[in-house]
Amino acid sequence: MRMSKLFARTLREAPAEAEIASHQLLLRAAYIRKVMAGAYTWLPLGWRTLRKVEQIVREEMNASDAQEVRMPIILPAEPWKITGRWQTYGDLMFKLKDRHDRELGLGPTHEEVVTPLVAGEFTSYRDLPVNLYQIEWKYRDEFRPRFGLLRGREFLMKDAYSFDRDEDGMRASYDVMFEAYKRVFDRCGLRYRIVEADPGQIGGDVNHEFIAIAEVGEDQFVYCDNCDYAADLEAASARAPEAAPLTDLEAPAEVATPGRSSIDAVSTLLRRQPAEMLKCMLYDAGGETVAVLIPGDREVNEEKVGRVMWPAPVRPFSDEDFEHRGIVKGYAGPQGLSEDVTIIADHSVRAGKNWITGANEADYHVTGVSQGRDFRVDRWEDVSQVREGDPCPVCGGRLILSRGMVVGHIYQLGARYSKPLKATFVDEDGTEQPFQMGCYGIGVDRIVAAAAEQFNDETGLMWPKALAPYDAIVVPTNMDQPAVVEAGERLYGDLQDQGVDVVLDDREVTAGVKFADADLIGYPVQVVVGKRGIESGTLDLKARATGQREQAPLDDAVTAAQHLLATVP
Amino acid sequence: MRMSKLFARTLREAPAEAEIASHQLLLRAAYIRKVMAGAYTWLPLGWRTLRKVEQIVREEMNASDAQEVRMPIILPAEPWKITGRWQTYGDLMFKLKDRHDRELGLGPTHEEVVTPLVAGEFTSYRDLPVNLYQIEWKYRDEFRPRFGLLRGREFLMKDAYSFDRDEDGMRASYDVMFEAYKRVFDRCGLRYRIVEADPGQIGGDVNHEFIAIAEVGEDQFVYCDNCDYAADLEAASARAPEAAPLTDLEAPAEVATPGRSSIDAVSTLLRRQPAEMLKCMLYDAGGETVAVLIPGDREVNEEKVGRVMWPAPVRPFSDEDFEHRGIVKGYAGPQGLSEDVTIIADHSVRAGKNWITGANEADYHVTGVSQGRDFRVDRWEDVSQVREGDPCPVCGGRLILSRGMVVGHIYQLGARYSKPLKATFVDEDGTEQPFQMGCYGIGVDRIVAAAAEQFNDETGLMWPKALAPYDAIVVPTNMDQPAVVEAGERLYGDLQDQGVDVVLDDREVTAGVKFADADLIGYPVQVVVGKRGIESGTLDLKARATGQREQAPLDDAVTAAQHLLATVP
C-alpha cells in the first residue's frame, strides 16, 4: 500500500471528548472515525488490525472444535420475553417494530437464538457436546457511550455457546474455552489477568473474566501478591477474620449524637475509629426488609447482597421505606429489630464487639453493643467490598487492587436458558433433559482498544506485531532525489515479494512528517532510505516498540528488515 | 471435519413456504435456518460457502485498489433526511429511536455515511480518486420477505463507493469496477448477463445490473440474440420503427362505442387490430397534466415516464383528476388537448397513421386520426415496455425476454449525494467541487442463492468448486468393518495433509443415508471406501457436478482424489 493512496489522514490533535490514550490515538492515527455517540467507522488501518484480532480468535476457536455460524442481528422479541431478558435488559437493548408492528431487538448476545437452534437440530445425547460460535456486531444502547471502543453502542463480539448433556460435560467444555482464551490473549500480546467474576445479566454460577490491565480501565479487580487468586471487585472476597471472643463486653450506653448520622461525623464526635462502629444498612428485597451489618470502615457490596437474596430483587431503602417501616434513617442499629427483618452480617463483623451503632432513635447512638447479647444475626455472609491489603481468601496473602478492561468473559450457565426455552435432548435413559450450557464472549474490538492502551508512548501507537495493520513502512526521506525514490520503490517491491505486509510512504512531504506519522500509526518496523544512505550504500531501520535502531547495507535491506521484524514483540 | 460432529442435520422435506429450489435445498442441506421472516442463521456449511464468496469479492476489490472499511449498521437519521431518502425509503427502512429519543435507521446502503466520511478526510483533488468498500449486513423491511435469501430483510452486501474529481474520472472508476465484477461472477462460476438497468432508489444516470440467469428470478430483462445488448425490463428500449409517410390520410370520423372503454372491447367491436388504435394515457406530473400516446398493442413503461418528467413525481390520473381536468376517462384522445397538457408520444407512434382513438366524449371513438393534422406531439420519447421479439436498439436483432436474480448493481451517481451533503474538495483551480461518485453493490448472500438455483439436480446441490463448503467427502460404507473404518480415517488424514478441505462421514448410518446426504450437501468430490474395495485394493470416486465415476487403487487414493477435484468445474 502506498501512503499517497491510503485512506488515512492523521490528526495532530484528538477531539476533546477522547479522554483516554487508546481513544485519542485510534482517532489521531486514522484507525476509526466517529459516526455518532458509540458508533464508529473503521478506516482501512483500523479494519486491518481488527481483522487480525478476528482471525486469531477464529483460529483458536476452530482449533478448539467450536464451529462457526452466523445469527441475525435483528431478532424477534418472543424468546427474550420467555427468558425475562426483554424486561431485564430494558432500555439497554435497542428495540424496534417492523412495518407489521412486530417487536424486534438488536442482539446484545445470542443465548435466545442459539438455544432453540441447537434444540431444533440436536435431539440426542449422542449428538453432544457441540460448541457454536460467531463473530458478529452486537448492540447495547448505553446511557452514556464513552472511551471510544470501550463503551460503544455497536461492538464486535465473538460469542460461543457450548451444549453438554451434564454438568461434568459443561465444565469440560468450559475448560477447553478457558485454555483457548489464554491462547487468544497471549497471541494478541496483551498483559491480562484472569479473574473470578460476577455473572451480571447473563446468569449462571462459575464465570471468569479476562481483564487487560490498564490504569484507565473501568473494571476494578484484585489479585493476590502471593498466589494465583484474582477476582473482579464485584465478586472478590477477602479471607474472613478470626472471630473475637465475646468476653469483656461493655454495657450498652446511649450517647447523644445530634445531627450526626454518618460514620465520619459520629466517629469524629466520639473520638473513636470508624472500624469500631457497626453500620446497619437497610434494603428492600422483594417487599421484605433486610438489614446488612458491616464495620464502619468497610463498604457493602450490593451485588453480593443481590446474590444472597436472589431471586428477590434488592434495592436500598428509600426515604419512604424508612418511614413506612418505622426505622430511623441514619440512626438504625440491629438491636431490637423485629423478627420479620432478615439480619445479614458480613463475616468481618465476627471480629468485633462493643460496637457503636445507631440507637434506632433520632440523634442517638449506642456504645457497647455486641452480637448475641444485644442483637441476633440471621445469616453470616460475605457482603463486603474487598479493599487493597485485605487477606487473600486462598492463601491469606495481600490483595492488590488493580484496574483493567474486560476483553473476555466466560460463563457456566447450566440450564439458565435451556430450561425456560424448553431446549432439551433425549438422554441415554430416554428422559428429556435440558442442555447444560456455557457461553463465552470476547470483545474483538475491545482487544484493539486494550492493545492501543497498553502499547503506546507520547509519539503514538506501538502495536504488537500480531495486531499491527502492516508489518513495516518504507520511508524515502528525500523525494526530490531520484535515487532515493527509486531505492524506496525497489525495497517496497522486494519486501512485498518476500511476503512482508509493507507500506511505502511515497508522499511529497517532509521527512519529519513521515517519521511522525510512522510513529503515530505504529508500524512495528520502519525502513528509512535517505540521500546520505544512498551515497554510503546503507539504510536505517527502527523497531517502533523497542526504539532499537540499526544500519544495514542497502543490498541486504530485505534480510535486515525481516530479521528486525522477527525480533520485535 | 467429521460428519458425526458437524452441526448439520439434513431434512428429508423442505418447509412448505420454500417455493424455489435454492431456498428448499439450502434448508434441506442444513446451510441456513430461519429465525423469522427474512432473517436466517447461517449454519457451519452455509457459513463456509458464504465466506468463500466473501473472500472472492474481497480479493477482487483489493486487486482493483478499493480499500476495505466498515461502517456502522445503526445510523443517525439526519443525513438521510438531507438526501431525502429517509422519506423515499419510508417503511422499507428499519427505523428506531434510542433511549434519548434520537432517530436511527438500520443501513440499507451507505451513501449517507461514506460521503461525509470521505469529505472529512480527503480535501484536495490530489487525494483523488479513492474507492472504499465494506462487506456488511444490510437491512430492508420488505413487506413480504420470501424466496429465502432472495428477498430477505437482512442480507450481506459488498458495497463500494468511488470518489472522483470529474465525470471522466468517475467513468474510469466505474469501468474498473465493471471489470472487477466480471471477475467476481466468473470466479463464482455463475451464468450471468450484464444489463443496462433502471437506477431505482439509488439515483444517477448510467448503471448496470449483473443478473444471474434463473427461471424463478424476480427480475426480467431482455437481451439481443445477435449482439451484446442487454437491459432490464425497466430500462430496455427497442429500436424505434421507421416513420410512416403521412400520406393517404383518411378523414376523421366519430364512431359510437357505447360502454367500450378498453382497447380490447373497441377493437373487437370495430373489427380492427389493437395495433391500429392509439392509447392516450393521462398522468399527473407534479400538478401538470401529461398525456402519453402509444399504440394499442403496447404498454407504457411508467419508470420511463418518470425519468422523462424527472424531478417531477409522476402518477397515473385518479378518477378525480379526470373529473377536475375535464377529460373523459376511457375515451381520451390527443386531438384537441389544450396547450397546457404535455403530449408525449412513444417513438412507435411514428410508424402509424389513421389511428382509432378516444373522441374525448363518453361512448365515442374517432377513426382516421393522424399526427400533425389532428394532434400535436410535444415530445417524442421512449416510454414503452419492451416485448420479446422487438428489434434490438443497437443492431436491430431480435430481443429475447429472460429472467434472473440481480447479484450486482453498479451506478454512476455523479453528484447525486455529494451535492446535498455538501461533500466537496478543492480542485486544481481553487474552486470547491462536489465529488463525482459511483456506487457498486454485490449481493454476497444472493450469490449463494443464485449458485444454488443454477447448480442443482433432483438429489441436491452441485456447487461450483469455488463455492463448495468443503472440497470432498470420504464415505466409508461399512462401519462394522474395521478395515473400512481404518482406510477411511487414513484417507481423511492424508487428504487433510495435502491441503484438501475434506469431511469424513464417520456416522454409524447406512451407506444409503451417507450417499443421499453427500449428494444433497453437494461436495464436489465423493471418495467411497467399501468392504469389497478394501478386498480388491480399490476405492470409488464420484464428481458430483458431472456424475463422472472412477475407480482408483487404494494406495493412489489421494492423487486420484486431487486429480478428480482438479477436473471438476
Side-chain angles (χ1 to χ4, degrees):
Chain A
M1 175 55 70
R2 291 168 184 276
M3 270 304 272
S4 63
K5 297 283 172 202
L6 183 65
F7 188 68
R9 289 294 176 266
T10 58
L11 309 174
R12 291 295 142 236
E13 304 284 339
E17 68 178 28
E19 301 166 65
I20 61 174
S22 59
H23 190 192
Q24 292 164 350
L25 290 171
L26 291 170
L27 287 168
R28 285 189 52 210
Y31 281 69
I32 59 173
R33 288 290 178 259
K34 180 175 160 179
V35 173
M36 63 178 173
Y40 292 84
T41 288
W42 290 76
L43 302 184
L45 287 170
W47 185 245
R48 286 180 73 95
T49 289
L50 189 65
R51 297 263 303 163
K52 289 199 174 185
V53 176
E54 184 182 321
Q55 189 54 25
I56 289 170
V57 171
R58 177 172 287 121
E59 286 171 11
E60 294 301 338
M61 285 300 114
N62 292 347
S64 306
D65 287 336
Q67 299 181 53
E68 191 169 0
V69 299
R70 194 267 166 190
M71 294 176 266
I73 287 171
I74 48 172
L75 301 171
E78 290 72 23
W80 298 81
K81 292 185 173 171
I82 293 172
T83 63
R85 291 210 294 183
W86 188 259
Q87 300 80 0
T88 55
Y89 267 113
D91 282 348
L92 205 52
M93 193 162 167
F94 279 108
K95 293 169 179 172
L96 65 155
K97 288 189 173 175
D98 72 8
R99 68 195 303 158
H100 302 299
D101 228 32
R102 290 189 204 101
E103 287 181 298
L104 307 179
L106 304 188
T109 166
H110 278 76
E111 284 81 2
E112 279 80 354
V113 188
V114 75
T115 308
L117 173 73
V118 171
E121 310 286 313
F122 275 10
T123 52
S124 159
Y125 71 95
R126 287 195 189 84
D127 298 326
L128 304 178
V130 65
N131 186 339
L132 302 180
Y133 78 98
Q134 64 174 354
I135 301 176
E136 188 51 88
W137 295 89
K138 304 284 188 304
Y139 296 83
R140 289 167 66 104
D141 194 2
E142 293 284 352
F143 186 80
R144 191 183 166 203
R146 63 193 293 213
F147 302 134
L149 306 177
L150 282 184
R151 207 200 287 159
R153 299 200 288 173
E154 178 177 68
F155 49 95
L156 187 60
M157 283 269 291
K158 185 285 299 174
D159 44 327
Y161 306 89
S162 65
F163 294 80
D164 278 274
R165 62 185 290 208
D166 55 27
E167 292 188 2
D168 283 349
M170 171 183 74
R171 280 187 285 269
S173 294
Y174 186 86
D175 291 344
V176 168
M177 285 292 104
F178 192 98
E179 295 303 318
Y181 272 46
K182 289 200 280 187
R183 290 194 302 275
V184 166
F185 299 117
D186 288 343
R187 286 181 62 185
C188 290
L190 289 183
R191 292 191 301 268
Y192 66 98
R193 278 195 183 261
I194 306 169
V195 310
E196 295 173 12
D198 183 75
Q201 238 140 4
I202 305 282
D205 288 329
V206 176
N207 72 99
H208 286 91
E209 283 173 345
F210 294 72
I211 298 189
I213 295 165
E215 274 174 35
V216 300
E218 288 190 281
D219 304 287
Q220 284 193 289
F221 66 98
V222 296
Y223 62 92
C224 175
D225 70 354
N226 184 56
C227 77
D228 281 343
Y229 178 76
D232 79 4
L233 210 55
E234 288 163 3
S237 50
R239 176 174 285 188
E242 303 257 312
L246 291 172
T247 53
D248 301 321
L249 300 187
E250 298 165 11
E254 281 208 350
V255 288
T257 53
R260 268 80 164 187
S261 63
S262 75
I263 295 288
D264 274 355
V266 176
S267 60
T268 303
L269 177 75
L270 305 182
R271 305 192 181 186
R272 302 283 285 270
Q273 294 300 315
E276 296 175 79
M277 300 188 60
L278 186 66
K279 269 199 264 198
C280 180
M281 309 288 289
L282 279 303
Y283 295 90
D284 175 280
E288 297 205 6
T289 302
V290 174
V292 174
L293 309 183
I294 198 164
D297 61 336
R298 305 201 70 102
E299 297 300 328
V300 173
N301 178 322
E302 292 185 355
E303 282 82 10
K304 289 183 179 177
V305 179
R307 283 202 293 278
V308 166
M309 298 307 297
W310 195 86
V314 171
R315 60 170 176 78
F317 256 29
S318 64
D319 285 354
E320 285 184 355
D321 290 321
F322 279 106
E323 201 169 311
H324 289 157
R325 305 195 198 184
I327 295 176
V328 186
K329 188 182 175 188
Y331 299 91
Q335 65 285 3
L337 284 179
S338 67
E339 288 297 319
D340 58 357
V341 176
T342 303
I343 304 178
I344 297 174
D346 185 65
H347 294 304
S348 56
V349 172
R350 281 196 212 268
K353 59 186 175 187
N354 299 325
W355 298 101
I356 305 161
T357 191
N360 293 318
E361 188 185 342
D363 298 334
Y364 283 91
H365 278 73
V366 194
T367 63
V369 172
S370 292
Q371 178 256 318
R373 184 192 66 190
D374 303 318
F375 64 90
R376 73 176 199 282
V377 170
D378 297 320
R379 298 176 65 171
W380 291 95
E381 299 282 357
D382 169 19
V383 288
S384 70
Q385 190 89 342
V386 167
R387 295 178 306 193
E388 177 142 322
D390 275 350
C392 168
V394 176
C395 76
R398 191 180 142 80
L399 292 180
I400 312 289
L401 199 58
S402 186
R403 282 182 171 277
M405 309 165 171
V406 177
V407 286
H409 202 159
I410 60 179
Y411 302 82
Q412 293 181 14
L413 296 173
R416 161 75 180 87
Y417 294 91
S418 51
K419 256 197 184 147
L421 292 168
K422 299 190 177 27
T424 60
F425 64 94
V426 178
D427 210 348
E428 199 162 7
D429 61 5
T431 59
E432 297 252 334
Q433 298 293 340
F435 293 103
Q436 292 293 318
M437 292 173 55
C439 79
Y440 315 93
I442 287 181
V444 178
D445 55 350
R446 273 198 159 204
I447 290 180
V448 175
E453 198 65 43
Q454 290 188 350
F455 304 106
N456 69 68
D457 62 13
E458 65 284 358
T459 63
L461 293 159
M462 301 161 67
W463 295 112
K465 197 166 40 182
L467 304 192
Y470 290 91
D471 298 327
I473 184 163
V474 173
V475 183
T477 54
N478 314 81
M479 296 300 286
D480 54 347
Q481 302 285 321
V484 171
V485 172
E486 195 193 304
E489 291 281 347
R490 195 169 51 238
L491 192 52
Y492 175 56
D494 291 348
L495 283 166
Q496 283 184 316
D497 291 346
Q498 293 301 311
V500 179
D501 262 342
V502 64
V503 172
L504 174 68
D505 195 344
D506 58 343
R507 295 176 298 168
E508 302 272 354
V509 296
T510 65
V513 166
K514 292 186 179 183
F515 291 144
D517 277 348
D519 281 351
L520 178 58
I521 290 169
Y523 308 98
V525 164
Q526 301 172 10
V527 184
V528 182
V529 196
K531 188 182 162 204
R532 270 180 301 186
I534 296 287
E535 286 161 8
S536 63
T538 61
L539 48 67
D540 297 300
L541 299 138
K542 176 176 141 184
R544 174 72 179 94
T546 60
Q548 187 190 339
R549 289 168 188 277
E550 284 181 7
Q551 234 177 29
L554 255 182
D555 299 341
D556 203 25
V558 172
T559 314
Q562 285 182 304
H563 180 77
L564 186 58
L565 192 59
T567 65
V568 301
Chain B
M1 175 57 68
R2 291 168 184 276
M3 272 302 272
S4 63
K5 297 284 172 201
L6 182 66
F7 188 67
R9 288 293 178 266
T10 58
L11 309 173
R12 289 298 139 236
E13 303 285 339
E17 67 178 28
E19 301 167 66
I20 61 173
S22 58
H23 190 190
Q24 292 165 350
L25 290 172
L26 291 171
L27 286 169
R28 284 189 53 210
Y31 281 69
I32 59 173
R33 287 290 179 261
K34 179 175 161 181
V35 173
M36 62 178 175
Y40 292 85
T41 288
W42 290 76
L43 302 185
L45 287 170
W47 185 244
R48 286 180 72 96
T49 290
L50 188 67
R51 296 264 304 164
K52 289 197 175 186
V53 176
E54 183 184 321
Q55 189 55 25
I56 289 170
V57 172
R58 177 172 287 122
E59 286 170 10
E60 294 302 338
M61 286 298 115
N62 292 347
S64 307
D65 287 335
Q67 299 181 53
E68 190 169 0
V69 298
R70 194 265 165 192
M71 293 176 266
I73 288 172
I74 49 172
L75 300 171
E78 290 73 22
W80 297 82
K81 292 185 173 172
I82 292 172
T83 62
R85 291 210 293 182
W86 188 260
Q87 299 80 1
T88 54
Y89 265 114
D91 281 350
L92 204 52
M93 193 162 167
F94 280 108
K95 294 170 178 170
L96 64 155
K97 287 188 173 176
D98 72 8
R99 65 195 302 157
H100 302 299
D101 228 31
R102 290 189 205 101
E103 287 180 301
L104 307 180
L106 303 189
T109 164
H110 277 75
E111 285 81 3
E112 279 80 354
V113 188
V114 75
T115 309
L117 173 73
V118 171
E121 311 285 315
F122 275 10
T123 54
S124 160
Y125 72 95
R126 287 197 188 84
D127 298 327
L128 304 176
V130 65
N131 186 339
L132 301 181
Y133 78 98
Q134 64 174 354
I135 301 174
E136 188 53 87
W137 295 88
K138 303 284 188 301
Y139 295 83
R140 288 169 67 105
D141 193 2
E142 294 284 354
F143 186 81
R144 191 184 167 203
R146 61 193 293 211
F147 300 134
L149 306 177
L150 281 186
R151 206 199 289 159
R153 300 199 288 173
E154 177 178 66
F155 48 96
L156 187 60
M157 284 269 291
K158 186 285 301 174
D159 44 328
Y161 306 90
S162 65
F163 294 79
D164 278 274
R165 62 185 290 206
D166 54 27
E167 291 189 4
D168 282 350
M170 172 183 76
R171 281 187 284 269
S173 294
Y174 187 87
D175 291 345
V176 168
M177 284 293 103
F178 193 98
E179 294 303 317
Y181 272 46
K182 288 200 282 188
R183 291 194 301 275
V184 166
F185 299 117
D186 288 343
R187 286 181 61 183
C188 290
L190 289 184
R191 293 191 301 268
Y192 66 98
R193 281 198 181 257
I194 305 170
V195 310
E196 295 173 13
D198 182 74
Q201 238 140 3
I202 304 281
D205 289 331
V206 177
N207 72 99
H208 287 92
E209 284 174 344
F210 293 74
I211 298 189
I213 295 163
E215 273 173 37
V216 300
E218 290 189 280
D219 303 288
Q220 282 194 289
F221 66 98
V222 297
Y223 62 93
C224 174
D225 71 354
N226 184 54
C227 78
D228 280 344
Y229 178 77
D232 79 5
L233 210 55
E234 287 162 3
S237 51
R239 174 174 286 188
E242 302 257 315
L246 292 172
T247 54
D248 301 322
L249 299 187
E250 301 166 9
E254 280 208 353
V255 289
T257 52
R260 268 80 163 188
S261 62
S262 74
I263 295 288
D264 273 358
V266 177
S267 60
T268 304
L269 178 73
L270 304 182
R271 302 190 185 190
R272 301 285 282 269
Q273 294 300 314
E276 296 177 77
M277 301 190 59
L278 185 65
K279 268 199 265 199
C280 180
M281 308 288 288
L282 278 305
Y283 294 89
D284 175 280
E288 298 202 7
T289 301
V290 174
V292 174
L293 309 183
I294 197 164
D297 62 337
R298 305 200 69 100
E299 297 300 327
V300 173
N301 176 324
E302 294 186 354
E303 282 82 11
K304 290 182 180 178
V305 178
R307 281 202 294 278
V308 165
M309 297 308 297
W310 195 87
V314 171
R315 58 170 177 77
F317 256 29
S318 64
D319 286 353
E320 284 184 355
D321 291 321
F322 279 106
E323 199 167 313
H324 289 157
R325 306 195 198 185
I327 297 177
V328 185
K329 190 181 174 188
Y331 298 91
Q335 66 287 3
L337 283 179
S338 67
E339 288 296 320
D340 58 356
V341 175
T342 303
I343 303 179
I344 298 174
D346 185 65
H347 295 304
S348 55
V349 173
R350 282 194 211 269
K353 58 185 176 187
N354 298 326
W355 298 101
I356 305 160
T357 190
N360 293 318
E361 191 184 340
D363 298 336
Y364 282 92
H365 278 74
V366 195
T367 61
V369 173
S370 291
Q371 180 255 318
R373 184 190 67 187
D374 304 317
F375 64 91
R376 75 177 198 282
V377 170
D378 298 318
R379 300 176 63 171
W380 292 96
E381 300 282 355
D382 169 20
V383 288
S384 70
Q385 191 87 343
V386 168
R387 296 179 303 194
E388 178 142 321
D390 275 350
C392 169
V394 176
C395 75
R398 191 181 143 78
L399 291 180
I400 312 289
L401 201 57
S402 186
R403 284 181 171 276
M405 309 164 173
V406 178
V407 287
H409 201 160
I410 61 180
Y411 302 83
Q412 293 179 14
L413 295 174
R416 162 76 180 86
Y417 294 91
S418 49
K419 257 199 184 145
L421 293 168
K422 299 189 177 27
T424 60
F425 64 95
V426 179
D427 210 348
E428 199 161 6
D429 60 7
T431 59
E432 297 251 335
Q433 299 293 342
F435 294 103
Q436 293 293 317
M437 291 172 55
C439 78
Y440 315 95
I442 288 181
V444 178
D445 55 350
R446 272 199 161 203
I447 291 180
V448 175
E453 198 65 42
Q454 290 188 350
F455 305 105
N456 69 67
D457 64 11
E458 65 285 356
T459 64
L461 294 159
M462 301 162 67
W463 295 112
K465 199 167 38 182
L467 305 192
Y470 291 90
D471 299 326
I473 184 164
V474 174
V475 183
T477 53
N478 315 80
M479 296 298 286
D480 55 346
Q481 302 286 318
V484 171
V485 172
E486 194 193 306
E489 292 279 347
R490 195 169 50 240
L491 191 52
Y492 175 55
D494 291 348
L495 284 165
Q496 284 184 314
D497 291 346
Q498 294 300 312
V500 179
D501 262 342
V502 63
V503 172
L504 173 68
D505 196 344
D506 59 342
R507 295 176 299 168
E508 302 272 355
V509 295
T510 66
V513 167
K514 291 185 180 184
F515 291 144
D517 277 347
D519 281 350
L520 177 59
I521 290 169
Y523 308 97
V525 165
Q526 301 173 10
V527 185
V528 182
V529 196
K531 188 181 161 202
R532 269 179 300 185
I534 295 286
E535 287 161 6
S536 63
T538 62
L539 48 67
D540 297 300
L541 299 136
K542 176 176 142 184
R544 174 71 178 94
T546 59
Q548 187 191 338
R549 290 169 187 277
E550 286 180 7
Q551 232 176 30
L554 253 183
D555 299 340
D556 202 26
V558 172
T559 314
Q562 285 181 304
H563 179 77
L564 186 59
L565 193 59
T567 64
V568 301

